[in-house]
Amino acid sequence: NKQIRSKDYSLEAYQLTSIMAKLNPDFYTVWNYRKDYLMQRMGNDEKKGFVTALTYSQQDAIQNLMKKEMELTEDIIRNKDPKCYAVWHHRRWVFKQCVAYQFSHR
């Protein structure tokens, strides 16, 4: 996908990857893009950790994004491919980010 290759982190590109993930959950590029998108939205820098100066509405938006990400992976696991390693790895990553995010915003 052109938007993924060009690092287009728009909401439209992110939504397109949801469709792509449902059609072909083994496509690791989609999951990697989604990780990059989520990290950007969370203000997460691998070296520095989470940015803590977020408003409550930004924090709510991030929590909703993570919840939707977990719902997407659950839907794929339950209804498409319960043995897809790419989905399980992404789901584990999302869970870890949720836990880290919660601890950094207490």
Side-chain angles (χ1 to χ4, degrees), residues 8-10 13-14 17 29-37:
D8 173 8
Y9 294 117
S10 67
Y14 180 72
T17 63
T29 303
V30 168
W31 300 112
N32 289 332
Y33 170 86
R34 293 178 76 82
K35 286 175 190 165
D36 290 344
Y37 177 86

Side-chain angles (χ1 to χ4, degrees), residues 3-104:
Q3 290 165 313
I4 291 174
R5 285 191 304 268
S6 68
K7 301 291 184 185
D8 173 8
Y9 294 117
S10 67
L11 180 59
E12 178 189 8
Y14 180 72
Q15 290 169 337
L16 287 172
T17 63
S18 296
I19 296 166
M20 293 169 65
K22 288 179 181 179
L23 292 173
N24 184 3
D26 287 312
F27 191 31
Y28 277 94
T29 303
V30 168
W31 300 112
N32 289 332
Y33 170 86
R34 293 178 76 82
K35 286 175 190 165
D36 290 344
Y37 177 86
L38 292 168
M39 286 189 348
Q40 181 187 44
R41 298 287 296 164
M42 290 185 293
N44 188 1
D45 182 330
E46 290 283 341
K47 295 179 179 91
K48 296 178 187 173
F50 291 103
V51 175
T52 57
L54 296 173
T55 66
Y56 287 115
S57 63
Q58 289 171 319
Q59 290 177 22
D60 285 344
I62 291 167
Q63 288 174 348
N64 286 335
L65 263 177
M66 298 307 267
K67 181 182 176 189
K68 288 182 181 189
E69 199 70 13
M70 292 298 279
E71 290 169 354
L72 172 68
T73 58
E74 181 178 355
D75 179 46
I76 293 170
I77 289 166
R78 287 183 186 269
N79 301 315
K80 176 82 174 173
D81 189 353
K83 295 183 180 182
C84 180
Y85 289 115
V87 178
W88 281 106
H89 286 285
H90 185 70
R91 186 173 174 82
R92 188 175 90 194
W93 178 87
V94 171
F95 183 74
K96 285 181 178 181
Q97 296 305 309
C98 289
V99 170
Y101 183 77
Q102 290 299 320
F103 280 114
S104 70

